[in-house]
Structure formats: structure tokens, C-alpha cells
Amino acid sequence: MARGSTRPTSRDVAQAAGVSQAAVSLVLGDKWRGRVSEPTAQRVRDAALELGYRPNLAARNLRLGRTRTVLLVVPALTTEFFAEVYTGAARVAAAHGFGVVLYPSPEGVGPARDPFASAQAALDGVIASSMAADALSAIRGDQLPLVMLDSDPEGSLGAATVNLDIADGIHQVADHLLALGHRSFLHLAADIPSWTFEVRARELASRLADVPGTELRTIGAPISIEGALRATEAALAAPGPRPTALVCDDDKLAAGAYKAIRRAGLRVPDDLSVTGLDDLGLATAIDPELTTVRLDAEAFGERGMHALLAVLEGRPPEKGDLPVSLVVRGSTAPPQ
Amino acid sequence: MARGSTRPTSRDVAQAAGVSQAAVSLVLGDKWRGRVSEPTAQRVRDAALELGYRPNLAARNLRLGRTRTVLLVVPALTTEFFAEVYTGAARVAAAHGFGVVLYPSPEGVGPARDPFASAQAALDGVIASSMAADALSAIRGDQLPLVMLDSDPEGSLGAATVNLDIADGIHQVADHLLALGHRSFLHLAADIPSWTFEVRARELASRLADVPGTELRTIGAPISIEGALRATEAALAAPGPRPTALVCDDDKLAAGAYKAIRRAGLRVPDDLSVTGLDDLGLATAIDPELTTVRLDAEAFGERGMHALLAVLEGRPPEKGDLPVSLVVRGSTAPPQ
DNA sequence: TCCAGCAAGTGTTACGTATAACTCCTGTCG
DNA sequence: CGACAGGAGTTATACGTAACACTTGCTGGA
């Protein structure tokens, strides 16, 4: 608490305005129509302003048994993707009188340990990315209303899920590369266990399986430029015919792959076409600009918050995946 | 709160263990040495585990008058810089039993409006980046202990400040470019009003003023790849001799400048040397890799949290700026 | 023998708020 | 003229926790 004097309470305001504490609560809680006269209400408001009164949230939360605060559990914020998810969620939340507290999994890769020890705030609900899924047990233990982002709709133990249509995105990537004439593919996969990445692998393999004469190899890498660089370098140094198309699980991996390709003395897209997924700012910062799948992160966050509000009010959350779209840029071309 | 049954309280645990609520509080609060016998304490712990008891934080906060939670106010998390600041701050906080709640200024550029309406958590203190300085008035109004990051040590109204030695970083950049033989400079400045950017402009100008025959022009841009691209394009299209060195306020601006330079048919570093500041992952994702100033964001966050803890305990915070270092890569070379 | 001192607890209270239940007063209608 | 409806408040209480002050039984020293 502040040094020196203590913060004014509703009782202090009441005394200053010459009314009871209950009247202050009524007026400031906007529930005074027909209970307090207008002049008195004004006196209370003036006194509150004068004293710089701020309600004690701990007391209010205790009294009401709810906090109007929700937790957003995300992997580390090393790209703007989850920052935008937060923006969308926070906007919707604010419109409904809720606040959003962010819990970024500390090291980016490892799962969140105990979001409730760290985010000391008491919570009404949780929105969690499947990339931080290990927090799930603690959350379920608390019986908190839960919405999962990009998570297996079947395996989420009844929690509501909000998903991007990643499968469709991967299909579009595959179709685009196939149409260009590519037949030999390398998949640079994120080596984080998460449903969203499983979908990429499954859908890519399934789409290519429909086309006779295609080849698909897969390598894993941690989601970082360094990690992708090393994995791609190793793959390019491997014996055998070089693939002509490199499908990356996200834009950051693609940026790392670019570096490996340059170091190997090859060029994008002449020697190797590359695709990403996310459409971060990074996608247009690298040269050539990256063909990638655009995800609407803000809409994702909005939808997540809407779903959580629905759960909190006992309504069924909206169904259906969020659409994504392929953005074709300079990193893909027909094989030589 | 959870649907169905209500959460167990310390009184429920007491009843299950056959002791008083006070005993439960003592045992679980780890203050029972010499007050409760070991067997009884164990019974209480078992009962708590059995019932899945979690203390009600609102009640605890109300009782104790503090929350062991601090707020970190940052500009939007569109780069990993503030994500790392958070990581550092959260690590130190956790070691002292504190939690950190993040308040990212919604739109990235605009200042935070009311961090306390959104971050509903009750707070013991605040760490704020100077880039979100408009929140200051609300914070001061609440008399909350405050630490400012990268803020004017003189003008911060007595709040503790923790700064990176940006001035030294800019000096190193200037000296490096001068040593290479550059005399005609362009400064791509972030057009956000913030002390940290004022320092860059001031120190660059002052260093160049020491060397006769140097020229310095400045252009402003919003901190985004698009913004930097447009500003740099305009500058390159301007009449008069082209500068040979482009000093950017941060790496993101440098990435945008790269694009403008490519579009103008020029090359880095042959036609134009470019420098950044931050040493984000982006710095090595672009080609050629960027000469930039490395900031230790995690150490920055740690230092910020240490300073806040010091303020909370009435100790004087550690003085002195955090060192930075120039990282020379491929984007700088002697002028042709 | 008696009291001090300690272990092992229990009873009670306060934190600041929101609200249900109550009181008092004034004007109006049957 | 009496009763009653509503306006304008007030009083009292509970939310769950932490901690202060107290009790009880026992042991050991004078």
C-alpha cells in the first residue's frame, strides 16, 4: 500500500458527503434510481472525486465472488501473433466490462507451469492456446470456465474450442505448389507438441497423397530462426535429390530457412520455393517476400473472448473455424 | 465462479481435518512452527489436498492489504523486446513471491488509457515503459510505487528510473560509421514522443557535431516496416546528394528501410550502410545481417523488477545504466 | 506445593464492499 | 380521515482470510 496515508474507502466518502456507506455504494454502483435523490447523489460523486476514491477491488471481488477478469495463456510473445490475439480479446472484453490478464509461458517453448501462482489475480475464466496446454490440468482442477485456442475439438475434455481453419490453409499451400508443378516437398515442422502443428503435418501429407508421384520428407526444428537455420542446413546437406518446395510451419521458420538456403549458395525461389504460415511483418521484411497463409489474429482473439463470454453466461459458443487465406508473394515459383 | 458446487474454503478444510480455521491458516501459511503439532499439520495438509483447496485470493488480498502483484505497462508486444523484458521481470518477481501482470498498450503506438480498468487485478506497484507514459497520471493518482523504464531521470517526478545506456549505443554506432569514413548521415527516427528516442536524436547529433564536415538529415516514421518503407522511399527520392549511412532508431525500422533501398535499385551496404538498434531476431533474418546495438532486454526487466522491489521495501534502487554493445555485421561498410 | 513457561491449539475480529431488509416521512386516494 | 404507496435513506450482514489475544493442559524448577 502507499506509504504515509492509507487510501480512502467508501466509508470516508460517506462521511465526507454526510451519508451512509450504503448510499455511496448505491450511487457509485449506478443503482440509485429511486433510492437516492439527485442532489445527494451529486454530493456523493463530488466527495468521491475530491478524495480521489478508488474502490478496493479485492473487497469488491470478495463480496461479488467474481472478478470480471480473465486470463489469456499464450506461448511466449516473440512474434506479434499473440499480441494481436490479445488485442482482439481485450477489445471484446472491455466492451463487456471485463479485463484480460496475459500469461505468457516464460521460455516460449516450455509449457506454462502454474499460471495461478504467477497471475495472482483471481479469475472468472481462462482462454488458453493449445501451445501452452500443460496448464490445462491446473485449470480444470480449478473448474474455471475454459476456452482453448487451436486445439483438438475432440480431445479438449469438453472445453469450448476456437480454431483457425489451418487445414484449409495447408490445403491452399499444397494446391498452390502442386499447380506450380512441384512434386518433391520438404516439410519444416515445429517440434512443439501441439494440435495446431499436428494438423499441418496431417493435412499436408493427406493432400499430397492424393497426387501420384509426389514425395514428402519432414524435418523438425524449434520455432526460432536459429533452430530453423540449423535444421534446414542439415537437410540441404543430406544426400539424394534436393526437394523443390519447402513448406514451413510458420513464418519464423521460413526466415531461418532463407538463411540456410543463402548459405548453401542457393536462391529462393529459383532453386527452392518456400512457404510460411502466419503472415507476420517478418514475411515481407525478408527478400524475396514470403508466400504464406494469412491468419487474422485479432479476429481469433475476439472469437475466443466471445466464446468465453458465452460459456460464462451458459450460452453455447459460436461454432465454425475462422477462415484463412493464401497470400502469394515472391518466394514460390515453378521448379526449374 | 464454478457452476454447480462452490469452491472449498479454509473452513471446509478445517472441518475435514477436525481443527479450527485458524489452524488451517497457520499451517497453510507456513507459520505453524511451535504452534501446531506435526501430526495435526499433516492432517490439515492432507485435507486441503483432498478437497482441492485453493485459497481465495480476493479474500487474502483484502485481509493483507497487498497483492504481491505488479503491473508491467509496455507498448504493444509486436517484437520480442518487451516479451523478454517481461521474462526477466517475471523471473525476479517469482523469486520474491510476486506475480507480474502485463498491460500492453492496445494499439501499439497510442498510450495506455486506463491500465486499472483493464488490469482489474489490484496492484502493489507498477513498472512502466516511457513509451506508454500517458498512463503516468493515473498511476501517480493512485500513489502506487512506480518504476519507469527508459525514461528521463530528471523529469520523472521522483519515480525511480531504470535505463539502458542508449547514449553509449548511439555513440558506438556513430563512431563505427565515422571510422569507416562516412560523413553524410540520414537518421530514420521513430516518431513516437518518448525519452528513449529523444536520446538517440540528441546523442547522434552531438557526436557528429564533433566531427567537421559531417552532414545529418532526419526523417520520422511510425515504428513499423510499412512506415519505415514509405519514409525511406521518400527520403531516397529527394533531390540532392544521397547519404551514405542510414542510422535507424530500431531494427524494425531498419528492416523497412532495407525494402525501400531494394526497391530503389540500391544495395546494402555498397550504396548505403544501415544500422539498427535492439538486436532482435529480425536483425539476422534480413540480408545482409544488420549491424545493430544489442540491448539485453531480460536484464532490463530484471533490473526494473529489482528496482521496484527496492522501492516497495523502502530501499534506494540500484543506480547506473545498463551497458549495451555494438554488434557489427554485414550492413555497414566504407562508402564507395 | 505452586507458579512460570511453553506447546497446541481456539475464538474473534477486521479488511472494504454490495445488497437485502428495515425505517421514517410525505403525499394521495378511497 | 386513515391507510397505504412510494421516495430517501439507513442498518446490518456476509464474503474468506490472517493474525491477535486468549485458553487449556502439562512439565519443570524453586
Side-chain angles (χ1 to χ4, degrees):
Chain A
M1 203 67 7
R3 228 161 324 298
S5 69
T6 177
R7 261 172 50 163
T9 72
S10 61
R11 216 173 304 268
D12 297 329
V13 174
Q15 187 162 7
V19 297
S20 71
Q21 179 266 332
V24 172
S25 182
L26 288 172
V27 171
L28 269 42
D30 213 37
K31 302 201 169 291
W32 56 281
R33 298 148 279 229
R35 315 261 291 117
V36 177
S37 69
E38 173 54 35
T40 306
Q42 194 54 48
R43 252 186 14 255
V44 169
R45 282 189 290 259
D46 289 348
L49 204 64
E50 173 82 18
L51 295 178
Y53 169 71
R54 299 251 178 185
N56 180 319
L57 295 185
R60 171 179 294 172
N61 293 342
L62 175 59
R63 174 70 231 248
L64 295 178
R66 71 193 145 81
T67 58
R68 306 219 130 223
T69 299
V70 307
L71 182 71
L72 179 61
V73 182
V74 300
L77 299 159
T78 55
T79 70
E80 66 258 36
F81 183 77
F82 281 102
E84 290 176 9
V85 170
Y86 167 82
T87 301
R91 175 170 37 243
V92 170
H96 291 77
F98 276 74
V100 179
V101 161
L102 217 43
Y103 185 76
S105 168
E107 273 315 290
V109 189
R113 278 190 323 214
D114 187 358
F116 307 103
S118 289
Q120 303 253 345
L123 304 170
D124 283 354
V126 177
I127 305 177
S129 159
S130 69
M131 291 191 224
D134 276 26
L136 197 79
S137 56
I139 291 166
R140 299 266 82 177
D142 267 23
Q143 308 251 37
L144 279 173
L146 171 67
V147 167
M148 293 292 297
L149 299 182
D150 252 337
S151 175
D152 185 354
E154 312 301 323
S156 296
L157 305 167
T161 59
V162 171
N163 289 350
L164 291 160
D165 198 348
I166 298 290
D168 180 54
I170 289 292
H171 292 166
Q172 290 190 49
V173 166
D175 292 348
H176 168 64
L177 289 169
L178 287 168
L180 286 173
H182 291 275
R183 291 300 178 267
S184 176
F185 293 82
L186 181 62
H187 178 200
L188 180 52
D191 64 2
I192 296 179
S194 165
W195 187 75
T196 187
F197 296 121
E198 289 165 19
V199 169
R200 290 156 163 80
R202 171 157 37 83
E203 296 301 322
L204 178 59
S206 118
R207 199 63 157 205
L208 296 185
D210 292 348
V211 180
T214 58
E215 243 178 89
L216 172 63
R217 241 183 340 137
T218 301
I219 52 174
I223 301 189
S224 72
I225 288 174
E226 261 316 295
L229 166 61
R230 271 195 288 268
T232 310
E233 254 177 346
L236 291 178
R242 207 193 313 127
T244 63
L246 177 61
V247 176
C248 302
D249 266 1
D250 81 352
D251 290 358
K252 207 167 208 181
L253 290 171
Y258 267 46
K259 289 182 71 171
I261 292 166
R262 269 202 307 274
R263 289 203 187 166
L266 304 173
R267 316 191 50 145
V268 177
D270 307 325
D271 300 305
L272 197 53
S273 285
V274 178
T275 66
L277 199 146
D278 271 354
D279 199 23
L280 306 175
L282 181 60
T284 61
I286 55 185
D287 182 41
E289 298 189 2
L290 187 66
T291 294
T292 188
V293 177
R294 169 167 296 161
L295 309 182
D296 190 342
E298 282 200 28
F300 196 35
E302 291 177 1
R303 187 79 158 263
M305 189 65 210
H306 274 131
L308 184 55
L309 288 170
V311 171
L312 287 172
E313 294 166 12
R315 291 183 285 115
E318 195 180 350
K319 272 309 238 179
D321 294 348
L322 283 156
V324 304
S325 60
L326 181 71
V327 182
V328 177
R329 298 206 182 91
S331 70
T332 47
Q336 309 160 318
Chain B
M1 205 65 4
R3 228 162 327 295
S5 68
T6 177
R7 262 172 49 164
T9 73
S10 61
R11 214 172 306 267
D12 297 330
V13 175
Q15 189 164 5
V19 296
S20 71
Q21 179 267 331
V24 173
S25 184
L26 287 173
V27 172
L28 270 41
D30 212 36
K31 303 200 168 289
W32 57 281
R33 297 148 279 229
R35 315 262 292 114
V36 177
S37 68
E38 172 55 35
T40 306
Q42 194 54 49
R43 255 190 8 260
V44 169
R45 282 189 289 260
D46 290 348
L49 204 64
E50 174 83 18
L51 296 177
Y53 169 72
R54 299 251 176 183
N56 180 320
L57 295 186
R60 172 178 294 173
N61 292 343
L62 174 59
R63 177 66 235 251
L64 296 179
R66 71 192 145 82
T67 58
R68 308 218 128 222
T69 299
V70 306
L71 181 71
L72 179 61
V73 181
V74 299
L77 299 159
T78 55
T79 71
E80 67 258 37
F81 183 78
F82 281 102
E84 288 175 11
V85 171
Y86 167 82
T87 301
R91 176 173 32 245
V92 170
H96 290 77
F98 276 75
V100 179
V101 161
L102 216 43
Y103 185 77
S105 168
E107 273 313 292
V109 190
R113 279 190 322 215
D114 186 358
F116 306 105
S118 289
Q120 303 253 347
L123 304 170
D124 283 355
V126 177
I127 304 176
S129 159
S130 70
M131 292 192 222
D134 275 27
L136 198 79
S137 54
I139 291 165
R140 300 266 80 178
D142 267 23
Q143 309 250 37
L144 278 173
L146 170 67
V147 168
M148 294 292 298
L149 299 181
D150 253 337
S151 175
D152 186 354
E154 311 301 323
S156 295
L157 306 167
T161 60
V162 171
N163 289 350
L164 292 160
D165 198 348
I166 299 291
D168 180 54
I170 289 292
H171 292 165
Q172 291 191 49
V173 166
D175 292 348
H176 169 64
L177 290 168
L178 287 167
L180 287 173
H182 291 276
R183 290 299 179 268
S184 176
F185 293 81
L186 181 61
H187 178 202
L188 180 52
D191 64 1
I192 296 179
S194 165
W195 187 75
T196 186
F197 296 120
E198 289 165 19
V199 169
R200 291 157 164 79
R202 171 157 37 83
E203 296 301 323
L204 178 60
S206 116
R207 200 62 158 204
L208 296 186
D210 292 346
V211 181
T214 59
E215 244 179 88
L216 171 63
R217 241 184 340 138
T218 300
I219 53 174
I223 301 189
S224 72
I225 289 175
E226 262 314 295
L229 166 61
R230 272 195 288 269
T232 310
E233 255 179 344
L236 291 178
R242 205 193 314 125
T244 64
L246 177 60
V247 176
C248 302
D249 265 0
D250 81 353
D251 290 358
K252 207 168 208 181
L253 291 171
Y258 267 46
K259 290 183 70 171
I261 292 166
R262 269 203 307 274
R263 288 202 189 167
L266 304 173
R267 314 192 53 144
V268 177
D270 309 323
D271 300 307
L272 197 53
S273 286
V274 177
T275 66
L277 199 147
D278 271 354
D279 198 23
L280 305 175
L282 181 60
T284 61
I286 54 184
D287 181 41
E289 298 189 3
L290 187 66
T291 294
T292 188
V293 176
R294 167 166 297 161
L295 309 183
D296 190 342
E298 283 199 27
F300 197 34
E302 289 177 1
R303 186 79 160 264
M305 189 65 209
H306 273 132
L308 184 54
L309 287 170
V311 171
L312 287 173
E313 293 166 13
R315 291 183 285 114
E318 194 179 351
K319 273 309 240 181
D321 294 349
L322 283 156
V324 304
S325 60
L326 182 69
V327 182
V328 177
R329 298 205 184 92
S331 70
T332 47
Q336 308 160 317

